[in-house]
Amino acid sequence: MSASLTTATGSRSSGFTTGAPPSTGISVHAADIAVVVVYFVFVMVVGIWSSVRANRSTVRGYFLAGRSMTWWPIGASLMSSNVGSGLFIGLAGTGAAGGIAVGGFEWNAAWVLVALGWIFIPVYIAAGVVTMPEYLAKRFGGQRIRIYMSVLSLILYIFTKISTDIFSGAMFIQVSLGWDLYLSTAVLLLVTAIYTVAGGLAAVIYTDAFQTLIMVGGAFTLMFIAFSKVGWYEGLVVRYMSAVPSVTVANTTCHLPRSDAFRLFRDPVSGDLPWPGLVFGLTVLATWVWCTDQVIVQRSLSAKSLSHAKGGSVLGGYLKLLPMFFIVMPGMISRSLFPDEVGCVDPAVCQSVCGTSVGCSNIAYPKLVVELMPVGLRGLMLAVMLAALMSSLTSIFNSSSTLFTLDLYHRARPGASERELMIVGRVFILVLVCVSLLWIPVIQTANSGRLFDYIQSVTSFLAPPITAVFLMAVFWPRANEQGAFWGLMAGLVVGLIRMVLEFSYETPSCGQPDGRPAVLADVHYLYFALILLALTCLIIAAVSLATAPIPKEHLYRLTWWSRHSRETRIDLTGPPLTSDPSRDSERLPESCWLRGALRLCGLTGPSSASVAPAVEDSELNSLQEEPLWRRVCDVNGLLLLAVNVFLWGYFA
């Protein structure tokens, strides 16, 4: 989310270029291509190795990696499934336009990741769920919340996360290599789809871990080269504050760098990212992403124990401290080195530089790669961007197919065999790939960042009600289905009204008067997120208190207070859906092509009889931790928060 969020915040200050990027005239050297080819080979080897190791013939094996993951691949996967190529383009671009405050988006994640490992994951494990809508269905009963959440999540994935990442990755490839947009994206999507379809979550997590190594290594390489060009941090402060383009707009100050560029905490009223919004409003959105979003939570649910899930959260939190240094600051260095291109303000100049008149700060990162990286290392940076793109896409593909298969398809066909569900999950990924390819022309034609304004609106106006429902579900046993449903609906209506208003009015360019209504011009979207959260919580509380409570026997191990309960729970959703075991033992098809395809996808081995096996025993024992490792996790969690507080204080 911070990926889509920060990309979109970049659009506010910089305008996302969707026109054709300029031809950089870069000749691609054999060494660069060799590095990219080696990278692709390694990704496929890791993907195939992890696919072969994994149990891919059962629902839990395919969608939760058989609950066998250790802490380090989980932590690396949390980082890379969140840091898409959109984050590299958007964070660096926003840093170039407005300074370091946008790095707070990344540092905020450490707190919410600790909340995930210590508060939310114990409840989800105790509940014995695979998807987030499934948790809400068990907690509240009924089907309407589950179906609403599944459909909303899929729409958000397709129209925000997938489109942001594909567009940013394709733009990077086009700017740095001049390759054809459609061909490069198609190849990327196909390679991504092959190991996601074949291997399930295990393949996705192990390839994510490998790609995190590539991403961090390559980004640090560029960071050191860039810092050496400007005289390290002191040199950056001096050169950034004097990075003014040669062509400016008369009687305006748009071309001057912000006076608070090197401060995280900005004015609560006039700041572009006001500090109360950055600390509290952003936490509302971050809680949705890190604690209730299928893409992220699915990684932690695949842990072999609660201690491994906590360890993954801590590693993910440490990794999220890094983008400030290897993405945001290099973006600022790019403006310092190329003020006429990256810092342009005159619409005609910007149009000629990057194809859009609003501003060109989004080319900050690609520009740095093209200008500073030597032959061979440019190939490494291309591999970094591909890693960022592919790791976030695979995560979204796998989680979307989990939601569709278990929350929608299996509801529609309760008697489906395990093999049928596995095939449906894989086919849905291929459908998503096709939708993604068809979406590219739409992204290209959406002009001057309007699409990314819309993505910003979608995420920050639809997420707070979801956060509110999960918080109330976990912490307040009195919340019931009617309260949660009407809270979600009211939050959706208010969020949509603000989103339509946001989309109806243009954000004024440099030197133009602001003619937008006060609710848009004066209420920052991070403040709006706080208001919407409070409103939704009030409605949930009011409706829940006015209607009958949920009896206690339905809530054992579904709230924070009852997570260790050993009572037998009566599920509100009725008996769990099971697949028909007799249909799984059908003979393999006669066709050698079909047999080969099933073998590739791991669907020829012995399958378990039931999709939702009796989970009572495993639920009761799943929160057990070894005292030593529990203490190690607790100490590391506190250490992470201490480092985080120090960094906030130092740069505040």
Side-chain angles (χ1 to χ4, degrees):
M1 152 79 157
S2 62
S4 54
L5 248 179
T6 34
T7 307
T9 41
S11 74
R12 308 224 158 240
S13 50
S14 51
F16 224 99
T17 163
T18 34
S23 167
T24 50
I26 296 292
S27 56
V28 185
H29 293 84
D32 293 326
I33 292 182
V35 170
V36 175
V37 169
V38 168
Y39 159 75
F40 265 114
V41 169
F42 263 104
V43 167
M44 290 309 286
V45 166
V46 171
I48 291 165
W49 168 78
S50 47
S51 300
V52 170
R53 282 181 78 243
N55 169 17
R56 300 169 287 153
S57 60
T58 66
V59 165
R60 289 195 177 231
Y62 184 74
F63 290 125
L64 283 184
R67 291 227 153 117
S68 62
M69 284 291 156
T70 52
W71 63 275
W72 64 268
I74 292 172
S77 184
L78 285 173
M79 162 81 169
S80 60
S81 50
N82 181 253
V83 178
S85 49
L87 198 78
F88 274 89
I89 303 279
L91 261 187
T94 311
I100 66 170
V102 74
F105 277 70
E106 300 304 292
W107 288 355
N108 187 284
W111 293 86
V112 197
L113 274 165
V114 169
L116 170 70
W118 272 259
I119 296 174
F120 286 88
I121 286 296
V123 175
Y124 298 150
I125 291 177
V129 295
V130 178
T131 70
M132 294 299 93
E134 182 188 0
Y135 169 73
L136 291 180
K138 281 192 175 190
R139 170 66 179 80
F140 292 119
Q143 290 304 321
R144 56 187 182 175
I145 294 180
R146 181 178 192 161
I147 291 168
Y148 168 76
M149 282 292 297
S150 304
V151 173
L152 181 68
S153 299
L154 289 174
I155 290 171
L156 281 172
Y157 292 160
I158 291 169
F159 294 112
T160 63
K161 295 186 177 188
I162 293 178
S163 56
T164 314
D165 282 338
I166 289 179
F167 171 69
S168 308
M171 172 184 150
F172 186 90
I173 293 168
Q174 217 178 355
V175 167
S176 55
L177 293 178
W179 290 355
D180 178 72
L181 188 80
Y182 290 93
L183 181 66
S184 47
T185 314
V187 170
L188 273 181
L189 284 171
L190 282 174
V191 172
T192 305
I194 286 169
Y195 67 79
T196 313
V197 167
L201 186 63
V204 170
I205 288 183
Y206 279 117
T207 47
D208 275 1
F210 169 69
Q211 301 194 13
T212 303
L213 274 176
I214 298 277
M215 218 187 304
V216 174
F220 266 115
T221 308
L222 178 60
M223 181 190 80
F224 282 115
I225 293 175
F227 266 114
S228 68
K229 292 279 185 202
V230 292
W232 306 102
Y233 187 74
E234 292 77 15
L236 170 61
V237 173
V238 174
R239 292 189 59 169
Y240 180 82
M241 296 312 289
S242 59
V244 177
S246 51
V247 181
T248 61
V249 178
N251 303 321
T252 65
T253 56
C254 315
H255 55 280
L256 298 175
R258 292 184 63 90
S259 57
D260 54 5
F262 286 88
R263 291 191 6 227
L264 273 176
F265 283 0
R266 299 188 175 173
D267 189 279
V269 178
S270 62
D272 59 333
L273 286 171
W275 74 261
L278 196 60
V279 173
F280 303 110
L282 183 59
T283 305
V284 174
L285 306 181
T287 304
W288 168 65
V289 177
W290 294 102
C291 301
T292 70
D293 185 26
Q294 184 68 24
V295 172
I296 297 295
V297 175
Q298 196 169 341
R299 269 123 205 79
S300 296
L301 285 179
S302 69
K304 58 164 67 171
S305 72
L306 181 55
S307 295
H308 279 284
K310 288 179 177 177
S313 285
V314 171
L315 176 60
Y318 277 120
L319 289 171
K320 288 294 283 178
L321 297 178
L322 302 178
M324 169 72 95
F325 303 105
F326 67 57
I327 305 180
V328 178
M329 289 181 183
M332 298 170 73
I333 292 172
S334 186
R335 174 171 176 160
S336 308
L337 295 175
F338 316 108
D340 286 338
E341 290 99 335
V342 177
C344 71
V345 287
D346 184 80
V349 174
C350 294
Q351 188 72 40
S352 65
V353 169
C354 63
T356 179
S357 58
V358 184
C360 290
S361 62
N362 285 304
I363 66 166
Y365 207 81
K367 181 81 178 164
L368 214 53
V369 172
V370 167
E371 299 288 345
L372 298 191
M373 288 301 244
V375 174
L377 283 181
R378 195 182 300 132
L380 173 69
M381 283 316 293
L382 187 62
V384 166
M385 295 304 289
L386 297 181
L389 173 66
M390 289 169 65
S391 59
S392 54
L393 281 183
T394 50
S395 307
I396 295 162
F397 286 161
N398 182 263
S399 299
S400 302
S401 89
T402 308
L403 283 176
F404 177 79
T405 308
L406 300 186
D407 285 321
L408 299 176
Y409 186 83
H410 200 204
R411 292 279 132 194
R413 274 183 59 80
S417 71
E418 185 122 2
R419 181 181 293 162
E420 181 183 334
L421 292 175
M422 295 292 81
I423 292 171
V424 167
R426 288 159 163 94
V427 169
F428 186 71
I429 293 174
L430 296 176
V431 172
L432 274 182
V433 171
C434 297
V435 171
S436 310
L437 278 172
L438 295 173
W439 190 234
I440 297 173
V442 182
I443 301 166
Q444 274 191 304
T445 51
N447 196 30
S448 302
R450 286 301 297 280
L451 178 77
F452 286 82
D453 278 341
Y454 139 80
I455 286 169
Q456 175 59 50
S457 312
V458 167
T459 44
S460 55
F461 304 150
L462 298 187
I466 300 171
T467 304
V469 164
F470 273 92
L471 286 174
M472 301 291 260
V474 169
F475 291 112
W476 194 46
R478 183 66 178 78
N480 61 17
E481 198 270 349
Q482 292 93 324
F485 180 75
W486 291 112
L488 275 175
M489 289 302 108
L492 176 70
V493 169
V494 175
L496 284 176
I497 291 171
R498 163 88 193 225
M499 194 172 91
V500 169
L501 281 174
E502 190 87 23
F503 211 43
S504 307
Y505 290 90
E506 289 274 358
T507 308
S509 295
C510 182
Q512 289 182 337
D514 192 342
R516 297 175 300 166
V519 70
L520 292 186
D522 301 335
V523 182
H524 194 277
Y525 69 90
L526 291 174
Y527 287 151
F528 182 79
L530 274 174
I531 295 166
L532 190 52
L533 177 86
L535 177 72
T536 309
C537 286
L538 281 173
I539 291 171
I540 293 173
V543 176
S544 294
L545 291 171
T547 48
I550 297 173
K552 204 154 91 177
E553 61 269 19
H554 297 305
L555 295 178
Y556 297 129
R557 292 181 305 289
L558 289 177
T559 65
W560 168 255
W561 318 109
S562 65
R563 66 193 186 284
H564 292 299
S565 167
R566 304 186 80 79
E567 303 285 335
T568 303
R569 182 177 71 232
I570 304 165
D571 271 334
L572 285 164
T573 48
L577 287 177
T578 55
S579 54
D580 181 355
S582 63
R583 296 172 63 176
D584 264 344
S585 54
E586 297 160 3
R587 288 188 307 118
L588 280 177
E590 298 295 323
S591 159
C592 58
W593 289 104
L594 272 174
R595 273 206 308 273
L598 288 175
R599 194 158 280 126
L600 169 71
C601 292
L603 289 174
T604 54
S607 171
S608 67
S610 163
V611 170
V615 287
E616 282 294 322
D617 293 337
S618 64
E619 279 178 34
L620 293 178
N621 302 321
S622 56
L623 296 185
Q624 301 297 323
E625 293 181 86
E626 287 184 34
L628 169 68
W629 292 115
R630 187 175 70 229
R631 275 196 292 275
V632 167
C633 289
D634 291 347
V635 169
N636 272 294
L638 287 171
L639 194 62
L640 166 65
L641 296 182
V643 171
N644 191 272
V645 168
F646 169 76
L647 286 170
W648 274 99
Y650 184 80
F651 286 100

